[in-house]
Amino acid sequence: VILVGFILLASAISQLLDASLSVVLLSPIAIKTALLVEISPYPLVMGIAMGASIAFMTPFSHRANLLVMGAGGYKKSDYFKIGAPLSLILYILATITIPLFIPF
């Protein structure tokens, strides 16, 4: 549950800000949380890194999205139509695979 929360929070922050900012903001919180709950902090930090990379629902999440938006004539709603299902798939894959490769 904690892993899912950090993945979703990192992704939500990355939709509007740069992904590196969400990683820098949330990593110390994840490490402190892991120490309080007495689990390994590595899966939580990896979840934050993966969640920050799952930023497909807005054109502001990455500079390349803004460049493509102007050249391709895309609207903000186009990013959400494609980005929301893709993000959902990647959320599910991240929550399943992170504990398999980096156990708590």
Side-chain angles (χ1 to χ4, degrees):
V1 174
I2 297 170
L3 177 65
V4 172
F6 276 117
I7 290 172
L8 292 175
L9 188 59
S11 179
I13 293 172
S14 295
Q15 298 300 328
L16 300 174
L17 300 174
D18 193 28
S20 59
L21 289 174
S22 65
V23 172
V24 168
L25 288 172
L26 293 176
S27 292
I29 298 169
I31 293 169
K32 183 68 173 181
T33 302
L35 294 176
L36 288 173
V37 184
E38 297 179 357
I39 60 173
S40 175
Y42 296 116
L44 298 182
V45 175
M46 181 56 75
I48 289 172
M50 296 303 290
S53 300
I54 303 173
F56 304 117
M57 291 188 273
T58 63
F60 311 111
S61 59
H62 197 273
R63 290 176 217 101
N65 291 349
L66 288 172
L67 290 171
V68 171
M69 181 180 175
Y74 297 115
K75 298 177 287 216
K76 293 177 190 174
S77 62
D78 294 334
Y79 284 91
F80 187 77
K81 288 177 192 174
I82 300 299
L86 179 61
S87 296
L88 181 64
I89 292 168
L90 292 175
Y91 293 144
I92 293 168
L93 283 174
T95 56
I96 292 170
T97 57
I98 290 172
L100 291 176
F101 291 108
I102 307 170
F104 290 101

